[in-house]
Amino acid sequence: MKAIVYGGPGRKSWTDVPDPTIQNPGDAIVKVDTTTICGTDLHILKGDVPAVREGRVLGHEGVGTVTEVGQSVTSLRPGDRVIISCIKSCGHCANCKSGLYSHCLGEEGASGIGWVFGHLIDGTQAEYVRVPYAENSLHLLPAGVTDEQAVMLSDILPTGFEIGVQYGRVKPGDTVAVIGAGPVGLAAIATAGLYGAAAIIAVDLDANRLEKSREFGATHVIASGDADWKEQLLALTDGQGVDVAIEAVGIPDTFSMCTEIVRPGGNVANVGVHGKPVQLHLEDLWIRNINISMGLVNANTTAMLLKLVAQKKLPAEKFATHHFRFNEFMDAYDTFARAAETNALKVVITA
Ligand SMILES: [Zn+2]
Ligand SMILES: [Zn+2]
């Protein structure tokens, strides 16, 4: 089969590799029908994730069709359409039993690490993928949900919702600011209303992304390049700041912005993946009773979010801005890597 193979920092190719085979009784082989590229894949290609070895098939998001199942798999059959969750879950370890799939203790990839696809085991940017713990790591797709909608449930929608909205403790009536209106920030914007946010403020440098954020439910937008961005934002509150500030970029500046705009007693939910240390001004924050949260997605809300997509309560298809076929995979990477020029949010790549 063909797959996107990591060749060390800066190197990748769409090339021939052996077809995956069943290795454990709980495995399934899935023919990938639709996949996408994540910011994390670009981090890997920069060499920021040294655990990814040369020869690894990249990708952790995908939708496909089951072609083969291991002996112990009873709830899936060849022909089933499925969402591949970005997080493995064995379903029976102590962490899985408490919903902390991001730290599944199953041996696959590495015990204690839930994100294994395109990281510690071969991933989804391929014609076929082996899915461990298939009964827990795959979600059956109802007929009315398209591949393009479903692929947004592999990672970005659960990540924005769980790590932004749930960890940020959004509650009815809240004013929520989301710093960074990329795919995951937009996912937080799209799901903040589920917990009753009254106002959702998108903050970004990019005018196109700000405009796009309105389609996902932002009630206000602020250009963070404006010298008075903070005054504009505070003017949308009672002057005290927002109830919840969600960081969805992953750089020190945007984290600091969140701590500057959150009201006393409020929550800062960090969703961005940081590559550098951040200065935490505890000397200022302690007296303001601020909660700070962060994490890797558990993907334990995927089934719930899928129901909302199926009922057209979440506009998952709107994340898809560019479409490619598998033989154009390298172009898809190029378009996604130049998102500032191409206005790409999610590039959808189909077999
Ligand atoms: Zn991802
Ligand atoms: Zn587990």
Side-chain angles (χ1 to χ4, degrees):
M1 70 162 184
K2 286 242 187 313
I4 289 285
V5 176
Y6 178 64
R11 288 201 300 276
K12 63 179 179 305
S13 53
W14 175 247
T15 192
D16 284 304
V17 293
D19 287 359
T21 55
I22 299 280
Q23 289 176 21
N24 295 305
D27 289 354
I29 303 298
V30 175
K31 177 185 177 296
V32 180
D33 298 319
T34 299
T35 184
T36 179
I37 304 169
C38 183
T40 308
D41 299 317
L42 300 183
H43 277 297
I44 292 170
L45 282 162
K46 278 190 198 134
D48 292 346
V49 190
V52 181
R53 294 203 305 256
E54 286 181 29
R56 176 68 64 226
V57 174
L58 296 179
H60 52 263
E61 297 164 79
V63 174
T65 308
V66 174
T67 58
E68 196 183 346
V69 296
Q71 282 172 354
S72 70
V73 176
T74 58
S75 63
L76 293 164
R77 284 185 305 217
D80 285 344
R81 286 177 72 226
V82 288
I83 298 169
I84 304 162
S85 175
C86 66
I87 299 293
K88 74 171 184 192
S89 58
C90 75
H92 53 76
C93 72
N95 288 344
C96 281
K97 281 188 168 170
S98 65
L100 193 69
Y101 302 156
S102 56
H103 297 281
C104 170
L105 297 166
E107 292 297 325
E108 194 72 51
S111 178
I113 300 182
W115 168 45
V116 295
F117 287 117
H119 177 206
L120 305 174
I121 68 171
D122 285 339
T124 57
Q125 291 170 5
E127 291 179 301
Y128 293 87
V129 61
R130 180 183 70 89
V131 178
Y133 315 122
E135 291 187 325
N136 293 306
S137 308
L138 295 174
H139 297 269
L140 278 172
L141 254 185
V145 177
T146 65
D147 280 21
E148 180 167 303
Q149 293 173 316
V151 78
M152 308 309 167
L153 290 159
S154 281
D155 179 353
I156 62 167
L157 277 166
T159 296
F161 179 61
E162 294 173 21
I163 309 303
V165 177
Q166 288 190 320
Y167 278 20
R169 307 182 196 178
V170 175
K171 59 187 189 308
D174 274 0
T175 296
V176 177
V178 178
I179 313 273
V184 173
L186 291 171
I189 288 168
T191 54
L194 298 177
Y195 283 146
I200 304 170
I201 307 164
V203 182
D204 201 290
L205 285 168
D206 185 316
N208 173 65
R209 288 190 165 188
L210 287 177
E211 207 41 54
K212 195 87 184 170
S213 69
R214 293 184 191 275
E215 295 176 29
F216 288 88
T219 56
H220 304 82
V221 303
I222 292 175
S224 48
D226 290 356
D228 65 341
W229 73 270
K230 199 199 294 186
E231 288 71 27
Q232 291 181 39
L233 188 138
L234 293 176
L236 298 172
T237 73
D238 56 3
Q240 294 277 297
V242 298
D243 299 289
V244 183
I246 296 175
E247 199 285 343
V249 181
I251 59 173
D253 276 355
T254 46
F255 180 81
S256 295
M257 287 165 74
C258 287
T259 62
E260 288 168 28
I261 60 170
V262 67
R263 69 184 299 116
N267 298 280
V268 172
N270 185 87
V271 189
V273 178
H274 289 260
K276 286 193 201 134
V278 163
Q279 264 209 339
L280 181 61
H281 288 287
L282 281 179
E283 73 281 14
D284 300 325
L285 291 170
W286 76 272
I287 204 168
R288 294 169 51 213
N289 300 54
I290 306 298
N291 297 299
I292 300 176
S293 60
M294 65 203 77
L296 171 64
V297 66
N298 289 304
N300 58 3
T301 64
T302 307
M304 182 281 287
L305 294 168
L306 174 57
K307 288 184 198 170
L308 294 175
V309 171
Q311 291 299 321
K312 314 218 175 336
K313 298 271 165 68
L314 273 182
E317 64 286 347
K318 288 196 171 146
F319 289 99
T321 54
H322 294 73
H323 297 81
F324 298 90
R325 304 306 298 264
F326 274 5
N327 62 11
E328 303 167 315
F329 223 120
M330 299 298 270
D331 298 332
Y333 258 100
D334 180 62
T335 297
F336 184 67
R338 294 186 299 112
E341 299 152 56
T342 61
N343 291 334
L345 287 174
K346 289 298 266 185
V347 296
V348 171
I349 307 126
T350 51

